[in-house]
Amino acid sequence: MTNAKVHIALADDHRMFLHALRALLEKEPGIDVVGVAGTGEELLAIAAHKPVDIACMDIGMPAMNGIETTRRLLALRPNIKVIGVSAFSDRQFVLDLLNAGARGYVTKAEAGEELLRAIHTVQLGKTYLCPDVAATVTNALLDNVPRDIATPRITARERQVLQLIAEGHTSVRIAERLHLAASTVEVHRRNIMRKLDLHSVAELTKYAIRNGITTISG
Amino acid sequence: MTNAKVHIALADDHRMFLHALRALLEKEPGIDVVGVAGTGEELLAIAAHKPVDIACMDIGMPAMNGIETTRRLLALRPNIKVIGVSAFSDRQFVLDLLNAGARGYVTKAEAGEELLRAIHTVQLGKTYLCPDVAATVTNALLDNVPRDIATPRITARERQVLQLIAEGHTSVRIAERLHLAASTVEVHRRNIMRKLDLHSVAELTKYAIRNGITTISG
DNA sequence: GCCAGAATACCGGTAAACACGTACGTAAAA
DNA sequence: TTTTACGTACGTGTTTACCGGTATTCTGGC
């Protein structure tokens, strides 16, 4: 049992990264990549039919993001250990993912060995955060203590509005598209900014990209 | 000569992608990865000291972007064939890169095999664009004919203003930061939008991210 | 020396964003 | 059941964005 290979599933919407990462992990003797997925749904399907010990997933996927995918995955298979892989290291983002049950987080800026280290660490039942993320999180805990549970989460409607804002539409257009009054859209916009502590369309746009609410290639 | 391995150098600011891609390419018998770089400068250094046939580089790198890197690389070693690898497929972006002398372009959304196909094609002296990029480019040529040479390039000052816009600053703040009149900043903003055919802060922000003018983790 | 382009600056106008308030019905949660 | 959160909608006001034109200065190229 101890010298059996660890079964790993990968998920990333960039197929080239997905395939490349598979090649990287397959070089490791103790690792067996049992499936790769381009979306959160595919990852759930893999976990439903194959033995998966560890899932490494991109967080910034469109449609279903990493946090939602993590929740559903753990509801389906509570023993799977989730490692978040992302280009970003938002404090709030990492905390959300850990709250969702993830056991590790590494950024794509780190070396490939960092992911292997994370895999080996969570395999032992521990939690692994790559250095800069760990620093961000501990700073957050030291600075703003009541950040643990007070996770501001936007509603589905707000998310919908945010997506259209990040696509460059005005409030009036968004109202037309959603069959709402323009004033309602502006309230949503205001609430989003208040909840997320963002203060411009530029920041809203970046947040939306980081969280997979919109794609950058729009 | 014909059955010698092709020497490839890689460049990407995401080290994990860089290392994973190296693992993917090293599986190929005809390919020898002679160096990997995290920045454009490193890639130039590698090309200066090692034999490189093909360079696969990420376009959205901070500091020196892919287009500038391509220019300098080809000035240094005109025989190197450059393949652009990017998460995005901007029409203008691709055209700029091809004008700079690149021989291929594949997006990260494509499968890993797509990059291998690009490598084998440019090795034969041909140009390779992945399907969706090829469609975008041909559409651009069919739609707006005088797009070939009229490559709108923003000035250094405009780039500076764009960066601050994408960081979420207002025109007034940008003016203060750059010691300009607010009206001047607004003219720059206007010219940027006109040149790039963008019509909102959201679009400006995404363009800035795609082109490495600002980072998404701001 | 002239011309084109860049960078600077100002004026005017419309539309939109942004901040603050109030209000109501419903649905979920305590 | 009371409370809380959400989605809906309106009003008022200030700031900013966005589109148009004009003009001066400076620099680089022909």
Side-chain angles (χ1 to χ4, degrees), chain B residues 155 157 180-181 183-184 187-188:
Chain B
T155 67
R157 197 51 151 176
L180 293 176
S183 54
T184 304
V187 172
H188 285 312

Side-chain angles (χ1 to χ4, degrees), chain A residues 134-213:
Chain A
T136 314
V137 170
T138 51
N139 280 340
L141 292 177
L142 293 176
D143 289 355
N144 314 331
V145 185
R147 182 66 75 169
D148 326 83
I149 316 167
T151 315
R153 189 159 286 114
I154 60 175
T155 66
R157 197 53 151 173
E158 286 165 349
R159 185 186 166 96
Q160 203 174 11
V161 171
L162 175 55
Q163 180 186 345
L164 292 168
I165 292 174
E167 284 173 8
H169 301 293
T170 65
S171 292
V172 175
R173 260 209 202 148
I174 295 170
E176 289 168 2
R177 182 83 75 89
L178 300 180
H179 305 291
L180 293 176
S183 53
T184 303
V185 173
E186 299 211 348
V187 171
H188 286 312
R189 179 195 288 262
R190 195 164 78 205
N191 289 334
I192 295 165
M193 287 180 153
R194 180 179 46 76
K195 284 183 183 179
L196 302 177
D197 194 31
L198 303 174
H199 306 87
S200 67
V201 176
E203 291 178 64
L204 286 175
T205 304
K206 293 202 226 175
Y207 179 91
I209 295 167
R210 282 198 297 263
N211 290 270
I213 294 173

